[in-house]
């Protein structure tokens, strides 16, 4: 695995870790309005990344094998596979969301702090896959994927991981955990990203023809997280329009990153 790939896989993890470190510098829990804005920002980045970095390249890569007319087949197939995969994980993995007292997934007696971390881990699985499959495409010589495009996605995911790290560590601190434990939990929630990305690269390198399917698979998985989890959370309570505005900011930023660096 090249140095460029290793660096790219670690960029999103660094974003999560820096966000989790906010627990050492901020005394109060994040304001609900700020939380909604950060969630909207993260959702915007994920949606833009799904379209520009994953779905469009998936169809472009499939043209040679499937032709112009049928190039959408791998994209649609992989997209639905990603949706169903996250639906399955959502059902199997016990987790609890930020502003909820009810757990989801399989029944489990784990502490609320653990359940909240698992919820973020569930979010991070498709993000790690997305980064991994884009670097795998570049590494295997996909003509339409540049190193700049892969870096743009890593940076975009890292930017949205920063508030995500804070959103997990700050509430844990408010729940009574020490600052160190809250930070560690926040960092651990992001470990799944480089691990998932590395596994995706290994798999994609062995079976190169599946790359278009993997790109759209990651897109479907990310969009499932956005629609099922993030958008409802960012729309709770009054002044939910802040989430919508920040969604547009995140979407625009990721679109600019992808088009300028890619």
């Amino acid at each position: 695995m090249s140095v460029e790939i290793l660096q790219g896989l670690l960029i999103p993890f660094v974003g999560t870790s820096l966000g989790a470190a906010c627990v050492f510098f901020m005394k109060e829990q994040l304001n609900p309005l700020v939380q909604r804005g950060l969630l909207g920002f993260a959702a915007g980045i994920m949606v833009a990344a799904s379209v520009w970095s994953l779905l469009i390249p998936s169809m472009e890569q499939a043209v040679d094998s499937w032709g112009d007319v049928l190039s959408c087949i791998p994209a649609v197939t992989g997209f639905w596979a990603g949706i169903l995969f996250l639906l399955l994980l959502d059902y199997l993995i016990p987790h609890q969301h930020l502003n909820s007292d009810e757990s989801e997934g399989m029944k489990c007696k784990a502490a609320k702090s653990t359940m909240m971390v698992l919820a973020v881990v569930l979010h991070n699985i498709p993000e790690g896959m997305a980064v991994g499959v884009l670097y795998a495409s570049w590494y295997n010589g996909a003509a339409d994927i540049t190193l700049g495009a892969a870096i743009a996605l890593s940076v975009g995911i890292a930017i949205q991981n920063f508030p995500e790290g804070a959103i997990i560590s700050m509430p844990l601190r408010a729940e009574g955990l020490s600052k160190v434990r809250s930070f560690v939990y926040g960092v651990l929630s992001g470990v799944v990203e480089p691990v998932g990305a590395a596994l995706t690269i290994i798999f994609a390198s062995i079976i190169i023809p599946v790359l278009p399917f993997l790109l759209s698979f990651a897109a479907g998985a990310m969009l499932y997280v956005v629609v099922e989890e993030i958008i409802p959370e960012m729309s709770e309570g009054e002044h939910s329009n802040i989430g919508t505005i920040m969604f547009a900011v995140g979407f625009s930023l990721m679109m600019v990153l992808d088009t300028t660096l890619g």
Side-chain angles (χ1 to χ4, degrees):
M1 195 175 292
S2 68
V3 175
E4 292 89 348
I5 292 178
L6 289 174
Q7 291 173 341
L9 300 192
L10 290 175
I11 288 173
F13 178 67
V14 171
T16 302
S17 301
L18 290 175
C22 288
V23 74
F24 294 113
F25 309 104
M26 300 175 66
K27 295 182 179 181
E28 302 293 335
Q29 187 174 353
L30 289 175
N31 182 283
L33 197 64
V34 174
Q35 287 184 8
R36 288 197 290 271
L38 294 177
L39 287 169
F41 180 78
I45 284 182
M46 292 173 74
V47 171
S50 296
V51 175
W52 269 271
S53 300
L54 300 170
L55 286 174
I56 292 176
S58 171
M59 288 184 282
E60 290 175 343
Q61 285 190 28
V63 169
D64 291 339
S65 301
W66 294 79
D68 291 330
V69 177
L70 300 179
S71 62
C72 63
I73 291 179
V76 173
T77 304
F79 177 84
W80 270 101
I83 292 286
L84 296 175
F85 176 68
L86 258 291
L87 179 63
L88 178 63
L89 292 185
D90 201 15
Y91 176 77
L92 293 177
I93 297 178
H95 58 283
Q96 185 170 329
H97 296 291
L98 184 64
N99 299 317
S100 174
D101 293 324
E102 297 183 4
S103 60
E104 298 181 15
M106 297 183 68
K107 299 299 181 182
C108 178
K109 295 183 179 180
K112 182 178 180 179
S113 57
T114 302
M115 301 285 274
M116 290 172 64
V117 172
L118 287 173
V120 177
V121 168
L122 188 62
H123 290 190
N124 287 341
I125 290 173
E127 295 168 14
M129 293 184 63
V131 172
V133 73
L134 211 62
Y135 273 95
S137 297
W138 165 73
Y139 187 73
N140 287 287
D144 50 326
I145 301 293
T146 65
L147 179 59
I151 293 174
L153 181 61
S154 290
V155 172
I157 296 296
I159 291 172
Q160 73 96 19
N161 278 354
F162 180 85
E164 199 170 68
I167 285 173
I168 190 66
S169 65
M170 297 296 291
L172 290 178
R173 174 60 178 160
E175 287 285 322
L177 271 69
S178 68
K179 289 184 177 181
V180 173
R181 286 189 66 189
S182 299
F183 169 72
V184 170
Y185 274 125
V187 171
L188 289 177
S189 70
V191 170
V192 68
E193 286 194 8
V195 173
L199 292 175
T200 302
I201 289 173
I202 294 171
F203 178 73
S205 298
I206 296 172
I207 312 175
I208 295 176
V210 304
L211 282 174
F213 292 93
L214 287 177
L215 285 163
S216 54
F217 180 95
M222 283 214 296
L223 289 177
Y224 177 92
V225 169
V226 171
V227 177
E228 171 68 15
E229 310 289 358
I230 299 181
I231 289 179
E233 289 181 10
M234 82 178 198
S235 302
E236 292 177 346
E238 298 180 353
H239 307 296
S240 60
N241 54 353
I242 186 66
T244 305
I245 292 171
M246 291 305 294
F247 175 94
V249 172
F251 188 95
S252 301
L253 176 62
M254 187 64 224
M255 181 170 58
V256 170
L257 282 174
D258 191 82
T259 53
T260 54
L261 296 180

